[in-house]
Amino acid sequence: MPLVFPLRVRRFGGTPGSIDALLITDARGRSINIPCEEAPLRREVAKLFTPAEAEALAVHIARFLSDEWAAQILVHQNAAGDPRKPKG
């Protein structure tokens, strides 16, 4: 099932002031979970991202998926003989 845009990036924390994961959610509610950990020892053992790294990764994933979706629409329009297609 294809993604439904827009995508949202949200922080999810178990306790106030902490971030346990970042969620990339589409308009249907399907999500990608990127877990993270602030404590260095737990982060190393579990091989998790820092909250800053997880947030940057979530933003890049959402931006990539949105750009890929826009590119697919453009390719489809060009293949269909869209009159807005540049000639040359």
Side-chain angles (χ1 to χ4, degrees), residues 10-73:
R10 297 183 298 141
R11 295 181 176 135
F12 178 77
T15 59
S18 73
I19 301 172
D20 294 335
L22 280 106
L23 303 173
I24 305 168
T25 309
D26 73 354
R28 286 192 180 138
R30 293 178 296 176
S31 63
I32 299 170
N33 181 13
I34 302 173
C36 58
E37 178 61 51
E38 292 180 12
L41 184 58
R42 289 180 62 184
R43 185 175 58 241
E44 261 185 61
V45 170
K47 305 285 188 213
L48 298 174
F49 295 105
T50 65
E53 292 169 337
E55 187 167 4
L57 181 62
V59 168
H60 286 296
I61 289 171
R63 193 172 293 150
F64 173 77
L65 291 173
S66 297
D67 290 345
E68 182 69 22
W69 176 73
Q72 287 177 0
I73 287 177

Side-chain angles (χ1 to χ4, degrees), residues 77-78 81-87:
Q77 287 174 347
N78 287 342
D82 187 14
R84 293 176 287 173
K85 180 179 173 184
K87 305 248 191 254

